[in-house]
Amino acid sequence: MDQSGAQILLQSLEKKNQLLDQMIRQNGVQEEILKQEELDMDAFDEAIDKQSSFVEQLDKLDRGFEAVYDRFREELIENKERYRDEIARMKQQIQQITDKIVTLNAGNMRNKMLAENQFKKRRQEIGTGASKSRVARNYYNSMNNLNYVSPQFYDNKK
């Protein structure tokens, strides 16, 4: 493996690190949207779409890293001393990535709970609206029947 193989792996890790920073910021945007009293569904959908785009990019980076690593793994293991600096920087990048993934997962869990609370509140509002509608309809029907007088004399004989 030449120096460029190790550099490619290192660049891939750096890109992944930067992408995770963007995902953490996007998680913060989602959290702010979900904390609002009135949920802006358009903004929430846009934030989810952006996050999905980041996840796709992250997946591509992971697949590319694995492909390059599989190709150069033997060389990297056999010549540890030659690539000592690159390996040390890769370990540092991997540690940062791991920390960011933990932060991202914690943010995702918070956002999931906020979203569930928002959706529960919306379901309750819909249920309240439906029950109010039912009460109004029953009142309307009973008021319409108030002036109806059934026949007083009716012959039941056939």
Side-chain angles (χ1 to χ4, degrees), residues 9-25:
L9 290 174
L10 195 55
Q11 287 174 355
S12 176
L13 289 173
E14 289 170 353
K15 286 181 183 177
K16 184 173 182 177
N17 219 335
Q18 293 170 356
L19 186 59
L20 286 170
D21 285 336
Q22 291 176 334
M23 291 176 77
I24 289 170
R25 281 192 296 275

Side-chain angles (χ1 to χ4, degrees), residues 113-130:
M113 289 173 52
L114 288 170
E116 286 174 353
N117 290 339
Q118 281 283 358
F119 297 147
K120 184 190 310 182
K121 188 174 15 170
R122 296 297 169 254
R123 279 192 298 273
Q124 288 173 344
E125 288 173 2
I126 290 170
T128 302

Side-chain angles (χ1 to χ4, degrees), residues 22-33:
Q22 291 176 334
M23 291 176 77
I24 289 170
R25 281 192 296 275
Q26 188 61 33
N27 235 10
V29 169
Q30 288 177 2
E31 186 174 354
E32 290 302 315
I33 291 170

Side-chain angles (χ1 to χ4, degrees), residues 143-158:
M143 287 297 117
N144 277 342
N145 291 333
L146 190 63
N147 292 330
Y148 177 73
V149 178
S150 61
Q152 300 297 315
F153 298 104
Y154 182 71
D155 187 10
N156 289 335
K157 295 180 186 175
K158 288 189 179 183

Side-chain angles (χ1 to χ4, degrees), residues 61-76:
L61 279 173
D62 282 343
R63 284 184 302 207
F65 181 86
E66 288 175 17
V68 172
Y69 181 75
D70 287 343
R71 194 173 319 139
F72 297 114
R73 177 181 9 174
E74 295 296 323
E75 176 71 22
L76 199 59

Side-chain angles (χ1 to χ4, degrees), residues 33-34 36 38-46 118 122:
I33 291 170
L34 290 169
Q36 294 174 356
E38 278 298 313
L39 181 64
D40 183 0
M41 284 304 291
D42 292 333
F44 185 66
D45 284 343
E46 183 180 326
Q118 281 283 358
R122 296 297 169 254

